[in-house]
């Protein structure tokens, strides 16, 4: 089983993203009317930066949860929507912080096929409380949102969750892809699948059942473990004086995301970490080949900091202080080509395996 065969093919999705970036570039001059400009090199990164003209940048992200909430629907426990609310915030703010900006305001977009979806008060209340909890963990205000009823576009029994976040930062604090050969990669642990690969996971659940044992819980509830929010780590890291050369939120594209930066560099991962039970379950019951697992899922790694060698230990300490398990996983070994090497697993991804710009 592959992610593409389960219904999600990244190739056309990424091609459309690149087409959108080209067309969006034609609108940049309009920022001048507001006394602002596009930050150089921001296109293609996880967050969009605008130079406000006063020594600060405005950062903006729009993100969607995907289909994770359908697992909660399949299990049939309305209380699980508390975690879904946290997940929705996590997928948004974890992208925003990759440029070094902490979120200030988060908004929710909750589209339903029928307004009656909100009549289930336990479920609706759990979602609202979870979203608020996610905002608290991110240190951001929930500023508002939109709840359209889209009959004919969205199934009446479901909800499509997404949202946006904005933040403001000093222009001098921006984290760019200033990666050098010799930089270390510090991995921060995930809580599970977090918010990517759920379409494939649901295909397995539909076939074998969500109540199958998985570690100390069931498959369905393991899938719904709320995502980690890494804002506290970035806040702690910057406060410690460490200036990372790059930050990556490891979601879609799995370990291929390690080579997201535009520069041609080879990233060698010597300590990928031990996969959580949920990933062993997915690989076994798909079945899913290991290379596909690495190309799709985070495999237990939710966030990555690229730092100078002398800052690696301090980065691990910052993560630990913020409550995240972290370790020095690898380093940037050479330039001249773009690749991710996993020698202990016998796998390698090259330039053609990731085309998101």
């Amino acid at each position: 089983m592959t992610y593409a065969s389960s219904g999600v093919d990244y190739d056309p999705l990424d091609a459309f993203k690149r087409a959108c970036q080209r067309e969006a570039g034609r609108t940049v001059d309009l920022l001048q009317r507001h006394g602002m400009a596009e930050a150089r090199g921001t296109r293609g990164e996880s967050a969009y930066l605008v130079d406000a003209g006063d020594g600060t940048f405005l950062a903006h992200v729009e993100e969607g949860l995907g289909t994770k909430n359908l697992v909660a629907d399949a299990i049939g426990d309305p209380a699980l929507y508390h975690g879904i609310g946290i997940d929705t915030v996590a997928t948004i703010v974890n992208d925003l912080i990759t440029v070094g900006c902490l979120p200030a305001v988060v908004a929710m977009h909750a589209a339903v096929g029928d307004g009656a979806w909100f009549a289930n008060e336990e479920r609706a209340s759990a979602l609202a409380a979870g979203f608020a909890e996610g905002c608290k963990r991110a240190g951001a205000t929930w500023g508002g949102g939109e709840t359209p009823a889209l009959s004919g576009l969205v199934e009446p029994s479901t909800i499509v969750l997404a949202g946006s976040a904005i933040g403001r930062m000093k222009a001098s604090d921006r984290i760019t892809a200033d990666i050098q050969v010799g930089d270390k990669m510090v991995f921060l642990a995930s809580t599970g699948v977090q918010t990517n690969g759920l379409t494939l996971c649901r295909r397995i659940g539909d076939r074998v059942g969500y109540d199958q044992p998985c570690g100390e819980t069931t498959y369905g509830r393991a899938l719904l473990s709320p995502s980690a929010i890494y804002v506290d780590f970035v806040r702690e890291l910057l406060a410690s004086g460490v200036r990372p050369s790059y930050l990556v939120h490891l979601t879609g594209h799995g370990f291929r995301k390690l080579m997201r930066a535009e520069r041609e560099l080879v990233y060698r991962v010597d300590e990928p970490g031990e996969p959580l039970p949920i990933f062993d379950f997915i690989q076994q019951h798909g079945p899913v080949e290991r290379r596909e697992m690495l190309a799709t899922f985070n495999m237990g790694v939710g966030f990555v900091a690229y730092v100078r060698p002398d800052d690696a230990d301090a980065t691990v300490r910052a993560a630990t202080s913020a409550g995240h398990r972290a370790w020095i996983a690898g380093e940037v070994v050479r330039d001249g080509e773009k690749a991710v090497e996993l020698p202990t697993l016998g796998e390698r991804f090259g330039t053609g395996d990731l085309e998101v710009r």
Side-chain angles (χ1 to χ4, degrees):
M1 178 181 287
T2 66
Y3 204 25
S5 69
S6 69
V8 180
D9 186 349
Y10 272 126
D11 288 344
L13 290 173
D14 290 343
F16 179 66
K17 289 178 183 179
R18 294 192 297 272
C20 287
Q21 289 172 18
R22 289 192 298 271
E23 293 302 318
R26 305 178 195 276
T27 69
V28 171
D29 291 346
L30 298 175
L31 281 170
Q32 296 176 5
R33 298 181 180 181
H34 306 279
M36 296 185 284
E38 180 178 279
R40 184 184 299 274
T42 191
R43 295 263 172 207
E45 293 298 329
S46 294
Y48 182 69
L49 287 174
V50 175
D51 188 336
D54 59 357
T56 67
F57 283 156
L58 301 177
H60 175 258
V61 164
E62 172 85 13
E63 259 296 344
L65 176 66
T67 64
K68 190 170 186 176
N69 53 295
L70 294 181
V71 178
D73 293 343
I75 295 174
D77 182 354
L80 291 172
Y81 265 83
H82 186 273
I84 294 297
I86 295 172
D87 283 318
T88 307
V89 175
T91 198
I92 301 165
V93 299
N94 285 344
D95 272 2
L96 191 76
I97 57 176
T98 60
V99 296
C101 187
L102 304 181
V105 180
V106 177
M108 173 196 280
H109 190 276
V112 294
D114 189 319
W117 191 95
F118 297 105
N120 184 326
E121 294 184 5
E122 182 180 1
R123 180 175 59 186
S125 295
L127 174 60
F131 198 89
E133 174 62 24
C135 289
K136 291 174 184 176
R137 295 184 187 183
T141 294
W142 181 357
E146 173 72 357
T147 54
L150 305 176
S151 177
L153 286 179
V154 180
E155 290 289 336
S157 61
T158 62
I159 187 168
V160 179
L161 291 164
S164 62
I166 59 172
R168 193 181 190 101
M169 63 187 293
K170 292 181 180 179
S172 57
D173 288 340
R174 177 187 180 185
I175 296 172
T176 59
D178 182 29
I179 309 172
Q180 297 180 5
V181 173
D183 278 1
K184 299 294 185 180
M185 292 182 290
V186 175
F187 283 4
L188 277 71
S190 70
T191 58
V193 296
Q194 301 207 149
T195 58
N196 72 286
L198 269 298
T199 300
L200 188 155
C201 295
R202 288 190 297 109
R203 296 292 182 270
I204 296 172
D206 292 343
R207 191 177 72 248
V208 305
Y210 289 106
D211 58 351
Q212 293 293 316
C214 180
E216 297 180 355
T217 184
T218 63
Y219 175 55
R221 291 182 182 272
L223 288 176
L224 293 177
S225 178
S227 302
I229 291 177
Y230 301 101
V231 176
D232 49 3
F233 160 67
V234 173
R235 183 185 293 112
E236 188 80 20
L237 186 66
L238 298 180
S240 74
V242 173
R243 296 293 304 170
S245 52
Y246 200 48
L247 296 172
V248 166
H249 179 204
L250 206 67
T251 52
H253 302 92
F255 273 46
R256 293 178 293 165
K257 204 70 159 284
L258 294 174
M259 55 179 172
R260 182 187 182 106
E262 198 162 13
R263 185 179 169 191
E264 292 189 341
L265 294 164
V266 177
Y267 308 88
R268 189 185 69 212
V269 180
D270 298 310
E271 299 289 342
E274 192 69 25
L276 300 170
I278 185 66
F279 298 111
D280 291 333
F281 186 100
I282 293 167
Q283 186 170 356
Q284 176 186 350
H285 290 278
V288 182
E289 292 184 359
R290 184 174 62 185
R291 182 175 178 82
E292 179 71 15
M293 293 291 297
L294 292 166
T296 301
F297 296 100
N298 67 63
M299 299 301 287
V301 183
F303 204 78
V304 183
Y306 302 70
V307 297
R308 301 293 186 250
D310 290 345
D311 290 329
D313 289 335
T315 302
V316 172
R317 288 195 296 271
T320 302
S321 178
H324 302 280
R325 184 171 63 87
W327 65 98
I328 300 171
E331 65 179 306
V332 182
V333 292
R334 61 184 182 276
D335 58 12
E337 63 174 325
K338 183 181 285 191
V340 175
E341 297 178 345
L342 298 110
T344 62
L345 300 178
E347 297 290 351
R348 188 181 194 274
F349 298 102
T351 303
D353 294 314
L354 182 72
E355 297 182 28
V356 294
R357 294 181 182 276

